[in-house]
Structures are given as structure tokens and as C-alpha cells.
Amino acid sequence: MTTQETTQESPLTLAVLVGSVRQPRMGRMIADWFVDHAGRHDGLRTDLVDLAEVPLPLADTPPGGNPASPIAGRLGAADAFVVVTPEYNHSFPAALKNAIDWHHREWVAKPVGFVSYGAGSGGIRAVEQLRLVFAELHATTTRSGVVLTAPWERLDRQGRLVADGPLQRAADATLGELTWWGEALRAARRRRPYGQ
């Protein structure tokens, strides 16, 4: 069976995580835009996971993940991830780190892309730190990503993100890499479980 046939029979599941739980916040609007944009790509099925809607306490996070997580099944079913994150004090939000630490096997041998946002830096310092975190979890991160500087200046009157050509091209590049890695790693996991 070819990769193209596999993709047509079984779309890749892309979990999009909203990493900020602050109110007010930009993360959900940006994630909604990205999910809508990803929906125009063949062979992808998206699952929006908003951490503001997921009760994950700071306790009860044993090494190796916690099977009591209410989103473990959704993350485990994903073939690839996009993390939508702001930059807080040159890093990423505590709620996002907590959600990452609540899980382990769900990330293993899967690709992770990033949509970051912030003031001057567009969140790139948060992403650079997240790359280190996901490497420890045996996930691979994409080179391409979406970087939004001052996204609050890109909103229409309904509060929706207005994406220009460069932003759409960045999203397409990220989705292209995630699709390639998602297909390749899914096929590899089927042939042989990672680490065996």
C-alpha cells in the first residue's frame, strides 16, 4: 500500500493545542484560524484541544504520564501536533508545560509544529525552549512554524484573525512538514513500535 493510498484511506489526525489559559487571550482565536486553514488541506483531520477547558491539576503527574488525564485518548489518537503558544517572560505558559508533563507516550515518535505569538519576538523564544522539551519526549519538531508578531493588530471587527499571504504560506509550510513527518512516522510505528 502506498503512502498516498494510506492517506486517502485514513487521514492524519492533527491535534491543535491552545497553550494559554489566561483571560483575555489571543490563543483561541489564533488556533481557530489555524484549524480552519488546516481544514482546507486534504488528508488532515483536526482536533482542537483548548487547555483552558481541560482540568489538569499541578499534582498527580507521575513520571511516564498519568492515565487519568481527560485528554490522553485524544492526544494518543493524534498522528501530529501543533502547539499554539504565547511567550511569557521569554518562555512558554506553565499550563502548557503541565499538560506536556501529564503525558508521555502520547508524544513519542510523532511530529510537533508550532504557532507562536507575542509582541516583538512573536513567541520564538518560547518555541526554542519547547523544542528541547519535546526532544526529551522523543518527538520530532518541524523546522517551519508560524510566528505572529502583535496578532491583536490583525483582528477584524468580529475578533477573527486576518491572515495575509506570508502568514498563510507559513501555515502551509508547517502543515506540509507535519504531513510528511506524520505519514512517515505513522508508517514506522506500524512496522515497529518506537524503541524496540
Side-chain angles (χ1 to χ4, degrees):
M1 182 179 293
T2 68
T3 301
Q4 183 176 6
E5 289 169 342
T6 302
T7 301
Q8 290 172 350
E9 290 180 9
S10 178
L12 290 174
T13 299
L14 176 65
V16 178
L17 277 73
V18 184
S20 172
V21 299
R22 279 186 182 175
Q23 296 295 341
R25 61 186 175 145
M26 294 292 306
R28 181 57 186 260
M29 288 176 276
I30 294 169
D32 287 341
W33 162 76
F34 190 84
V35 166
D36 181 65
H37 189 83
R40 300 180 199 141
H41 286 248
D42 292 334
L44 283 177
R45 177 177 53 230
T46 56
D47 179 14
L48 180 61
V49 180
D50 189 341
L51 295 182
E53 301 170 354
V54 179
L56 290 175
L58 289 171
D60 302 325
T61 55
N66 190 325
S69 161
I71 57 171
R74 292 168 68 185
L75 299 181
D79 299 298
F81 303 96
V82 165
V83 175
V84 179
T85 184
E87 183 177 310
Y88 294 163
N89 301 321
H90 286 212
S91 188
F92 53 93
L96 177 56
K97 182 62 163 66
N98 187 45
I100 293 169
D101 291 346
W102 259 74
H103 307 91
H104 181 73
R105 67 183 180 279
E106 291 82 2
W107 314 113
V108 172
K110 296 178 183 179
V112 182
F114 301 98
V115 176
S116 64
Y117 60 97
S121 72
I124 57 174
R125 290 172 291 214
V127 169
E128 289 308 306
Q129 293 182 31
L130 282 165
R131 290 185 191 282
L132 299 175
V133 172
F134 280 108
E136 178 63 20
L137 294 167
H138 300 269
T140 187
T141 58
T142 63
R143 180 186 181 279
S144 294
V146 179
V147 178
L148 284 154
T149 302
W152 45 88
E153 296 177 358
R154 295 174 173 259
L155 302 181
D156 65 15
R157 291 184 179 183
Q158 287 74 42
R160 295 172 304 209
L161 186 70
V162 177
D164 57 13
L167 189 58
Q168 294 183 41
R169 287 192 291 276
D172 288 337
T174 302
L175 288 165
E177 289 184 31
L178 283 167
T179 300
W180 191 93
W181 279 108
E183 290 174 355
L185 291 174
R186 180 171 68 178
R189 291 193 309 273
R190 287 175 174 168
R191 284 195 305 271
R192 185 177 69 179
Y194 180 81
Q196 294 185 1

